Amino acid sequence: MTFAGYSLLPVLPEIVLALGAMVLLMIGAFRGQGATPAITVLAVLLLVAAGALELWLPAGRLVTFAGGFVVDDFARFLKILALIGSGVTLILARDFLSDPSRRIFEFAILVLLSSVGMMVLISAADLITLYLGLELMSLALYVVAASQRDNAKSTEAGLKYFVLGALSSGMLLYGASLVYGFTGTVMFSGIAAAATTGSLGIVFGIVFVLAGLCFKVSAVPFHMWTPDVYEGAPTPVTAFFASAPKVAALAVFTRVALTAFPGIKHDWQQIVVFVSIASMVLGSFAAIGQTNIKRLMAYSSIGHMGFALIGLAAGTAEGAQGILVYISIYVAMTLASFSVILAMKRNGQAVETIADFAGLSRTNPLLAFFFAMLLFSLAGVPPLAGFFAKWYVFVAAIKAGMFTLAVVGVLASVVGAFYYLNIVKVMYFDEPAGAVDPVRIELRTVLAIAGTFNILFFVYPAPLVSMAAAAAKSLF
């Protein structure tokens, strides 16, 4: 399988996903909105097929397009995780899309196209592939944020995301042009060979490239879009934003820093340490006064990206392993949490304020139990999965001699625990706000699987940890 002299085998999953999305687009165009349920199911099957193809590819490091696209263990690990995030999002969105007034067949197709962008982004080994993947992922996200066209909040969310996203893309492109100008190459390996001393031009380039990537992971100070977009977008879309794109953005953040600029680690480490500390602190303190659960999850996600970046700040293989373990557990916790938020309906109407969770332990004990366990896990309470996520990044930071960063992380976790435990208090000690509607089967399934993984992770963490270690080693 070749095209213009390049092997297409490493990009086979992306090609299948892109062609499948085009076919589904044709089906939707000819069949109309009535085809939405069928297209959503077929989109999930396409994501499964792409994941299977990714696992079927020959082991080891595969490179194509003159070295601009690489498939290694790191890419495989994160692509599978991103595909899981996208697939589960579509399953969670089934109820939302079943409403006759919201039959948007394009929703599933946009998720597929965004997933293609994520996979390209995760495998990017040069600045051009990075930009192509980033834009393919982002353009679909801008549209999907504003998918509820009759809702002013959703439209506003899409517009804010688009304007700020365009700004961040411009910053990233400017940084990439500086890096290219001062190194004479767009290849990460070539940049690594040329950037052995932190000349002013290269440092400026790194600052702008990392600023563009900070926007995509919603890290401080480029986090301002996150609370408004999370609150304004339809809840299944928010679940999508909080999971799969975060995986891809964190993947490229890690690959760029560790493979393109290993010789000037000291220069970018300072940026990552600042961004990490600022994200943890803002995520912890700004969430305290929130009354809307989706805004709270937005600040929570800003904080969690700060914790994940502790692993990158360490700049070691152990730090990279910590990032992979962290993002895997974070995706499971986030998808399970959003399945609870989507389940919160009274008389067919979605409820989103924290006060609406009052007395949930008496009206739906099982839902309250799982959500409480997820909140404890997000806070990092042992022996739940969230504790181990933080443990691996903190250990990596300590071994790299970054004691201050680890201490700030622990203190931010303590502050963050306050607002997570506040929701548990509301569910278990406040007077019930009324019974919630029966929970749909797909939400129950996602919550059961992800919630059980979160509670029982400590029993057998070895498979995830060893896969993360192998994936991290492939970067070095």
Side-chain angles (χ1 to χ4, degrees), residues 175-192:
S177 68
L178 282 174
V179 171
Y180 171 64
F182 281 89
T183 60
T185 178
V186 291
M187 299 295 301
F188 292 171
S189 54
I191 293 167

Side-chain angles (χ1 to χ4, degrees), residues 64-125:
T64 188
F65 299 130
F69 189 95
V70 61
V71 179
D72 50 14
D73 289 342
F74 179 79
R76 285 188 187 90
F77 183 99
L78 287 160
K79 282 185 183 182
I80 296 297
L81 191 59
L83 289 168
I84 289 170
S86 299
V88 173
T89 300
L90 287 176
I91 292 166
L92 293 178
R94 208 176 129 233
D95 182 29
F96 172 77
L97 296 171
S98 65
D99 187 321
S101 66
R102 290 196 297 247
R103 288 211 161 172
I104 315 161
F105 77 82
E106 300 93 339
F107 180 85
I109 295 160
L110 287 163
V111 168
L112 288 182
L113 292 172
S114 186
S115 302
V116 175
M118 289 174 217
M119 294 173 79
V120 171
L121 192 55
I122 290 167
S123 281

Side-chain angles (χ1 to χ4, degrees), residues 237-411:
V237 174
T238 308
F240 182 48
F241 281 177
S243 54
K246 290 277 197 290
V247 173
L250 208 52
V252 75
F253 209 129
T254 307
R255 194 186 285 279
V256 167
L258 296 177
T259 63
F261 303 106
I264 48 174
K265 186 164 86 170
H266 179 69
D267 292 298
W268 58 256
Q269 259 182 330
Q270 296 173 49
I271 301 168
V272 175
V273 167
F274 166 76
V275 165
S276 173
I277 290 175
S279 300
M280 290 187 295
V281 171
L282 181 121
S284 297
F285 282 96
I288 290 172
Q290 300 305 319
T291 54
N292 182 291
I293 190 75
K294 281 159 71 178
R295 281 188 84 85
L296 186 136
M297 290 302 288
Y299 284 111
S300 167
S301 97
I302 293 167
H304 280 288
M305 289 302 107
F307 287 113
L309 288 173
I310 291 176
L312 181 56
T316 58
E318 202 164 353
Q321 179 195 4
I323 293 171
L324 296 175
V325 172
Y326 199 103
I327 195 68
S328 306
I329 291 170
Y330 168 77
V331 166
M333 293 189 299
T334 301
L335 290 170
S337 299
F338 274 99
S339 63
V340 174
I341 295 166
L342 281 160
M344 287 300 290
K345 284 189 165 187
R346 291 203 175 90
N347 306 319
Q349 293 298 311
V351 291
E352 288 174 6
T353 66
I354 292 166
D356 291 314
F357 286 83
L360 186 65
S361 62
R362 276 172 269 179
T363 54
N364 194 326
L366 198 58
L367 194 64
F369 169 75
F370 269 114
F371 197 35
M373 289 299 106
L374 289 164
L375 292 166
F376 282 130
S377 187
L378 285 162
V381 175
L384 301 167
F387 166 76
F388 291 95
K390 288 178 180 172
W391 169 265
Y392 281 103
V393 290
F394 288 159
V395 167
I398 290 165
K399 286 189 177 175
M402 296 186 152
F403 303 109
T404 308
L405 188 59
V407 169
V408 172
V410 172
L411 294 175

